[in-house]
Amino acid sequence: MGKDKKREAKNTADTLGMSSTERILKRIHELYEKGLNPGSDGSVGLLSIAADPLLQLKIYKPRKKVNVMLIGNHSAGKSSFINWYIGESVQTTGVAIETRGFTFVTSGRKRDTLKGDATFAFYDHINGLSKFKGISENVFTEISTSKDRNFSCVDLVDSPGLVDGEMEYPFDVTESIVFLADHVDLILCFFDPIGQALCKRTMRTIERLNEHHAEKLAYYMSKADQVEKEHDRQRVLIQITQNLAGRIKNSHAFKLPTIYLPRDDLAVPIPNALEEVCDDIDKAIRLTVQKNLTTMRDDCDAIVAEIANARELNGRRRRDNASATAKGWALMVFGWVVLATLFYVAVLEACATKPVTTALRTHALPALATQPVFRDLVEGLLPDGGRRWFGVEHGGAMAMGVLAVTFLIIQFVKSRVWKLSPTMTKKDAKRLAGYETYVKEVKAVREELYKEYFKQIHDNA
Ligand SMILES: Nc1nc2c(ncn2[C@@H]2O[C@H](COP(=O)(O)OP(=O)(O)OP(=O)(O)O)[C@@H](O)[C@H]2O)c(=O)[nH]1
Ligand SMILES: [Mg+2]
């Protein structure tokens, strides 16, 4: 079996084990980074096509995974939720302040933990987080092999528990959460009924997040099983709602479902909307797939349009270059004529000087006596009582001055006019044609992915 065949077989085996959504997200990512036939020679991704010097189009690769950040007060159950979602205890939980920094929990082939710098290298889009002083030692990535729920399509971001007062954070926690909010698709806010759910820091953070990311926020009352009596729960819910009311933007769509991690020793059943959190995550995944498919179509269209622009620009430049060359040549010839005239006047003027006229009269004319043609020519050079130009004394010097200045002006105008813009080589034009065909094929693959995605939604409905 050839190398390519082996790779193909491996890809197929991988693909079969993957959910359709995950496959679509991965394929889109691949089309941006590696192109239609990853690994084969000449396969270029949309990113490098867009970055070609002939196009210089700025496009961004869509993320392979959906990012979900959890925020809330200390001990609200954020880390416990992550452990429950992935079915593995990757995050430490407990009553003490457990999570002091940010942990990116992601799925991978091997269980591993990455520290700050490795995390920034792994998630290049959050590189900007490193600008927060003191954060590098408090950022980690936990790689888990879990395939539970939709974990293979999600990166979960655990954040430090928010508290007021004495607690010193090693970095600006609110600002770093606000920074990360730009890069995540969904923010789950957990408020527990007994902790510092409504602490000032949490409220300030929620307020800041509402400035630009109101649509990403989903609120929950976590650890609801800790308040067994219904009316106590209602009281807590009202209290949280009242505190949030003035701070959140789309308050009409505000929901505060009660959630808790599954347990079967409860005396009275308490409503648990835990699956709603999973639904919210699934919804974020669906939206991301749709957004990525749309972005890919738009990027393909933008590349095709830019190829047309590059060709049009090239045509215009060729025409401009041809006209500039014609004008340049005309000016050059004109310049030569002026220079030749200047030379002619200079020769005549030189011949008009006393030593030359004397020398010509005494030596040249007698010597040329037998050659009438040359003699007449030399005689013609000799001024008849001092050479006058246009009736002006010393007119020759003036004429030479005018001619020299004219020549310089012509040179200057020529340097301005005869400017050529770079045009495409045959190789460039061939490359663009190749891109065009390639992007068309990518669009066809995108249509297939789109159909596959909607078929899957339809089948699951
Ligand atoms: N009763 C109950 N306890 C929970 C629930 N979820 C978490 N806990 C407990 O609450 C405590 C705090 O949970 P964590 O997951 O560490 O909370 P956290 O929000 O990550 O806390 P920090 O990392 O300090 O911000 C732990 O002892 C958990 O066992 C729940 O749904 N019900
Ligand atoms: Mg925690």
Side-chain angles (χ1 to χ4, degrees):
M1 210 191 303
K3 227 180 181 180
D4 279 349
K5 283 246 171 69
K6 262 188 203 161
R7 190 182 298 121
E8 208 176 274
K10 191 169 174 293
N11 280 345
T12 320
D14 283 352
T15 309
L16 289 176
M18 245 190 267
S19 77
S20 177
T21 310
E22 185 191 354
R23 209 184 70 80
I24 295 171
L25 283 168
K26 199 168 167 222
R27 187 75 174 124
I28 294 174
H29 191 264
E30 205 169 63
L31 289 168
Y32 272 80
E33 279 215 311
K34 299 176 186 154
L36 283 164
N37 308 301
S40 69
D41 286 347
S43 179
V44 280
L46 293 176
L47 287 177
S48 23
I49 292 181
D52 190 291
L54 288 173
L55 305 178
Q56 291 184 26
L57 203 64
K58 191 86 200 120
I59 63 170
Y60 300 91
K61 75 176 161 201
R63 261 174 275 132
K64 228 186 316 191
K65 294 193 179 177
V66 176
N67 289 267
V68 178
M69 176 160 65
L70 287 94
I71 65 159
N73 62 293
H74 149 62
S75 212
K78 304 178 290 296
S79 305
S80 305
F81 174 82
I82 291 179
N83 291 346
W84 171 80
Y85 188 82
I86 69 171
E88 188 182 340
S89 280
V90 289
Q91 285 295 78
T92 320
T93 61
V95 282
I97 294 181
E98 296 294 350
T99 314
R100 288 187 177 271
F102 290 95
T103 308
F104 296 79
V105 182
T106 187
S107 69
R109 288 171 194 273
K110 213 174 109 226
R111 175 81 183 94
D112 208 349
T113 301
L114 309 179
K115 290 193 174 169
D117 288 343
T119 298
F120 293 133
F122 194 68
Y123 293 103
D124 51 358
H125 62 282
I126 53 121
N127 247 330
L129 191 65
S130 56
K131 74 175 180 223
F132 293 96
K133 222 173 117 235
I135 210 162
S136 300
E137 308 79 58
N138 293 289
V139 172
F140 301 93
T141 301
E142 293 293 348
I143 304 174
S144 157
T145 53
S146 160
K147 293 268 173 218
D148 278 14
R149 299 195 169 78
N150 274 325
F151 180 50
S152 39
C153 299
V154 184
D155 279 345
L156 298 160
V157 188
D158 199 0
S159 64
L162 300 169
V163 285
D164 283 340
E166 290 305 293
M167 159 81 178
E168 281 284 330
Y169 292 92
F171 53 88
D172 190 333
V173 69
T174 301
E175 286 309 316
S176 37
I177 287 178
V178 170
F179 169 85
L180 277 175
D182 276 341
H183 304 275
V184 302
D185 306 283
L186 175 66
I187 305 168
L188 306 175
C189 310
F190 280 16
F191 300 94
D192 75 309
I194 47 170
Q196 280 197 32
L198 302 169
C199 74
K200 283 202 199 85
R201 201 185 294 272
T202 307
M203 289 303 140
R204 206 166 51 236
T205 309
I206 301 261
E207 219 162 3
R208 288 293 311 279
L209 292 175
N210 263 281
E211 285 170 13
H212 300 293
H213 303 292
E215 75 297 341
K216 287 183 188 173
L217 290 152
Y219 308 89
Y220 304 95
M221 186 181 106
S222 57
K223 292 164 73 169
D225 57 324
Q226 285 193 327
V227 189
E228 292 203 356
K229 290 199 181 108
E230 166 74 18
H231 71 267
D232 285 342
R233 265 198 322 277
Q234 289 306 327
R235 197 172 42 78
V236 176
L237 282 171
I238 289 169
Q239 204 185 357
I240 299 174
T241 312
Q242 279 175 346
N243 266 280
L244 288 177
R247 295 180 163 93
I248 59 177
K249 267 192 181 158
N250 46 355
S251 48
H252 57 280
F254 178 75
K255 284 195 301 180
L256 190 63
T258 53
I259 59 166
Y260 55 93
L261 298 184
R263 52 183 272 197
D264 32 42
D265 58 335
L266 276 176
V268 193
I270 296 170
N272 192 0
L274 196 57
E275 283 308 320
E276 245 178 68
V277 190
C278 300
D279 288 347
D280 281 344
I281 295 176
D282 291 353
K283 201 168 119 198
I285 296 173
R286 284 199 299 277
L287 278 176
T288 302
V289 175
Q290 286 170 34
K291 204 174 74 194
N292 288 1
L293 283 166
T294 309
T295 308
M296 185 155 83
R297 187 198 54 207
D298 293 349
D299 286 344
C300 285
D301 290 346
I303 291 174
V304 171
E306 202 50 46
I307 291 175
N309 278 348
R311 282 186 182 139
E312 208 215 274
L313 177 72
N314 189 50
R316 217 169 39 233
R317 280 183 173 172
R318 273 182 198 282
R319 282 193 298 278
D320 290 351
N321 284 355
S323 134
T325 309
K327 285 178 194 155
W329 268 98
L331 284 164
M332 195 166 73
V333 169
F334 185 29
W336 287 342
V337 169
V338 171
L339 202 62
T341 314
L342 178 65
F343 182 70
Y344 173 68
V345 174
V347 169
L348 288 184
E349 281 298 285
C351 290
T353 56
K354 195 104 185 125
V356 180
T357 43
T358 315
L360 287 175
R361 278 188 214 285
T362 50
H363 302 295
L365 284 180
L368 293 169
T370 53
Q371 306 285 333
V373 179
F374 295 114
R375 192 204 49 218
D376 291 351
L377 203 71
V378 173
E379 248 173 4
L381 288 172
L382 294 169
D384 193 8
R387 199 182 301 284
R388 294 171 70 88
W389 292 86
F390 312 110
V392 180
E393 198 77 31
H394 305 303
M398 273 170 64
M400 279 199 293
V402 170
L403 286 167
V405 170
T406 312
F407 179 73
L408 290 177
I409 291 174
I410 291 168
Q411 292 308 306
F412 174 75
V413 175
K414 191 181 79 182
S415 72
R416 285 298 166 111
V417 169
W418 205 348
K419 269 190 186 154
L420 300 183
S421 311
T423 52
M424 272 188 227
T425 59
K426 272 197 180 134
K427 218 170 130 194
D428 290 337
K430 209 171 144 201
R431 196 166 73 242
L432 280 195
Y435 288 164
E436 204 170 34
T437 322
Y438 202 78
V439 170
K440 261 190 205 137
E441 286 172 37
V442 171
K443 268 186 97 170
V445 172
R446 185 246 169 220
E447 290 306 318
E448 287 305 311
L449 292 175
Y450 198 75
K451 275 188 211 146
E452 183 187 337
Y453 173 68
F454 278 101
K455 183 175 177 303
Q456 175 219 333
I457 288 190
H458 189 259
D459 291 350
N460 289 345

